[in-house]
Amino acid sequence: MPDHHPLNSSVAEQLAEFSVGTTIDRIPADVIAMAKVGILDCLGVTLAGSGNAASRKIQSHVCDTGGHPQSSVIGVTLKTSAPSAAFANGYAAHVLDFDDTQISMRSHPTATILPAVLALGELLNVSGRKLLEAYLVGTEIACKIGRGVNPEHAKHWHGAGTLGAMGAAAGAMKVFDLNVSQSRSVLGFAASQAAGLRKNKGTNAKPFHAGNAARSGVVAVQLVHEGLAADADIFEGQFGFGEVFCGADHYRPDLIVAKFGEPFEVLHPGLDIKPYPCCSRALTAIDATLALVNEHDLRPGDVEGIDCGVSYTTPLSMIHPVPKSGLEAMFSMGFCVGVALVDRVVGLQQFTDEKVADATIQGLMRKFNLYIRDDLKGIESSASNECTVTIRMRDGRTLSKSVKRNKGSSDNPLSKDELRDKFIRCATTVLPEARAADCLEMIENLEMLEEARQLGESMAIG
């Protein structure tokens, strides 16, 4: 199936024109407010992720490979080159799988785009308004590309690494205020760096996708700024991004270029903020399980069996039915439901190797059955994480709960106090409480910040 509608100009040209023509003065206030929600949430999660053992190794790698002290690595006292800082911060932003997701992108926008924008923003010492402007341009472009290549793209690729690289490049080119011709080349360089295999979910390589995407965006912009050029129309043709990443029969360039900013993707369908640190496809099941536990005071020993009905695409993400580690547990529906039953809370402390080995949780996972709901088998359900959890009790009772959209989703958002609480809980894993509170205030008033450098340096700690 070829292009559905002929385009007046190439996809890359229209994306570049949108980037060049978008200024914060023309962005609605509610869009800016939502951007600050995404930034606040991501920076809190990045601070928490910066102390992760794998993140520490990434930071060590970045330190060992050197680089001019241009941009801050969050959570430590280290400045390095802008590409390396974007890489380390992108990794930390995604390592806990606690960062936001977005339906059009079918992946994680902020963890890939914000680190690139922050690294270059600090290097050039732009204003907070420019950071917001660049973040929104990058997010809009990544999600619009997602509209044109998904759901087929998401069946095979991890969008944080692929679409994230394009979004990071778009945000980065806005920081530099590149012209249309330059911006088209930036997208060309980014497309050749886009990668991320779904098979790496549950390993140290999955957050690498986000870090590498952020770094790729910075590198793409810097190369073009130095005068290099890539293919100006990277989306079109047999070897273009569209056909390579989803196939000619599934590629919809008309959906990519339709209605830029009308509304902005961060507002509709919106950003989904995670209340639990695991794959987004498990969030509704956790909500349903916790609701049943609290309503009926369920005890793990009284459970006979558990059935969980989901969309046909959910098993493509929940790929570890028998997890062997805390990392794999993030992508195990049986574990997520089991730990919610046992601990009655699902937080950072639940996704550990020790918790995976817990005998009670192991027993519940053996009683767990994941199936596709009949009404969630069609392509219209490809982005859905709707589910029904049914718990069969030894006393003969059958208890069931369906959740369409989890708490924290754009349809069921966290309150302002809940967002702040998540940030403070995450940030204080590495920052003193007073510093964390100062960071929160700075982010909530980001448009008033005169120097981006202040933000990066406020989150550095020895």
Side-chain angles (χ1 to χ4, degrees), residues 100-166:
D100 64 23
T101 59
Q102 204 273 350
I103 285 178
S104 300
M105 188 178 171
R106 303 287 206 278
S107 201
H108 305 262
T110 308
T112 57
I113 295 159
L114 182 62
V117 168
L118 283 179
L120 285 176
E122 185 171 353
L123 172 63
L124 301 181
N125 201 24
V126 301
S127 68
R129 286 169 62 83
K130 175 58 74 173
L131 291 179
L132 283 163
E133 184 182 274
Y135 166 74
L136 281 165
V137 165
T139 304
E140 182 72 3
I141 286 177
C143 296
K144 283 292 194 287
I145 296 172
R147 284 182 179 267
V149 299
N150 285 320
E152 188 67 19
H153 178 83
K155 293 180 183 178
H156 308 284
W157 298 94
H158 182 213
T162 53
L163 304 180
M166 305 303 286

Side-chain angles (χ1 to χ4, degrees), residues 374-389:
D374 287 340
D375 61 328
L376 296 176
K377 292 180 178 179
I379 194 170
E380 69 279 357
S381 300
S382 64
S384 175
N385 69 338
E386 184 174 354
C387 83
T388 299
V389 173

Side-chain angles (χ1 to χ4, degrees), residues 89-353:
N89 292 336
Y91 192 98
H94 194 46
V95 71
L96 301 176
D97 228 284
F98 211 3
D99 52 303
D100 64 23
T101 59
Q102 204 273 350
I103 285 178
S104 300
M105 188 178 171
R106 303 287 206 278
S107 201
H108 305 262
T110 308
T112 57
I113 295 159
L114 182 62
V117 168
L118 283 179
L120 285 176
E122 185 171 353
L123 172 63
L124 301 181
N125 201 24
V126 301
S127 68
R129 286 169 62 83
K130 175 58 74 173
L131 291 179
L132 283 163
E133 184 182 274
Y135 166 74
L136 281 165
V137 165
T139 304
E140 182 72 3
I141 286 177
C143 296
K144 283 292 194 287
I145 296 172
R147 284 182 179 267
V149 299
N150 285 320
E152 188 67 19
H153 178 83
K155 293 180 183 178
H156 308 284
W157 298 94
H158 182 213
T162 53
L163 304 180
M166 305 303 286
M173 67 198 193
K174 191 61 183 176
V175 175
F176 264 87
D177 277 327
L178 299 185
N179 63 33
V180 170
S181 177
Q182 292 171 312
S183 297
R184 291 168 74 178
S185 270
V186 168
L187 294 171
F189 273 114
S192 278
Q193 299 177 85
L197 296 179
R198 298 176 68 88
K199 189 173 176 64
N200 269 320
K201 290 193 172 192
T203 74
N204 297 136
K206 182 173 185 278
F208 172 83
H209 298 166
N212 193 50
R215 175 173 58 187
S216 296
V218 174
V219 169
V221 165
Q222 291 183 324
L223 293 178
V224 172
H225 189 254
E226 289 295 324
L228 299 181
D231 191 292
D233 296 318
I234 200 63
F235 292 90
E236 280 75 29
Q238 179 182 0
F239 304 115
F241 188 95
E243 290 197 23
V244 169
F245 279 102
C246 74
D249 290 346
H250 302 282
Y251 179 45
R252 292 289 305 271
D254 54 307
L255 297 182
I256 297 177
V257 301
K259 298 182 179 179
F260 289 125
E262 296 179 7
F264 275 82
E265 293 276 336
V266 297
L267 208 60
H268 182 78
L271 296 178
D272 296 328
I273 307 297
K274 290 187 177 183
Y276 316 115
C278 58
C279 180
S280 60
R281 291 305 181 107
L283 304 182
T284 48
I286 294 172
D287 273 358
T289 303
L290 290 175
L292 289 172
V293 167
N294 292 327
E295 288 171 18
H296 303 282
D297 193 25
L298 303 183
R299 304 294 170 177
D302 298 330
V303 173
E304 181 71 30
I306 307 167
D307 299 307
C308 184
V310 296
S311 159
Y312 77 101
T313 53
T314 292
L316 299 177
S317 292
M318 307 307 291
I319 64 173
H320 292 290
V322 186
K324 300 179 180 62
S325 67
L327 281 172
E328 291 185 356
M330 295 175 179
F331 307 94
S332 171
M333 192 70 87
F335 174 85
C336 290
V337 170
V339 80
L341 265 167
V342 172
D343 286 4
R344 301 187 174 208
V345 65
V346 180
L348 294 172
Q349 67 274 21
Q350 267 64 50
F351 291 90
T352 65
D353 295 353

Side-chain angles (χ1 to χ4, degrees), residues 399-410:
L399 309 172
S400 187
K401 177 73 69 173
S402 294
V403 176
K404 189 175 182 67
R405 293 279 275 154
N406 60 275
K407 180 68 173 176
S409 67
S410 59

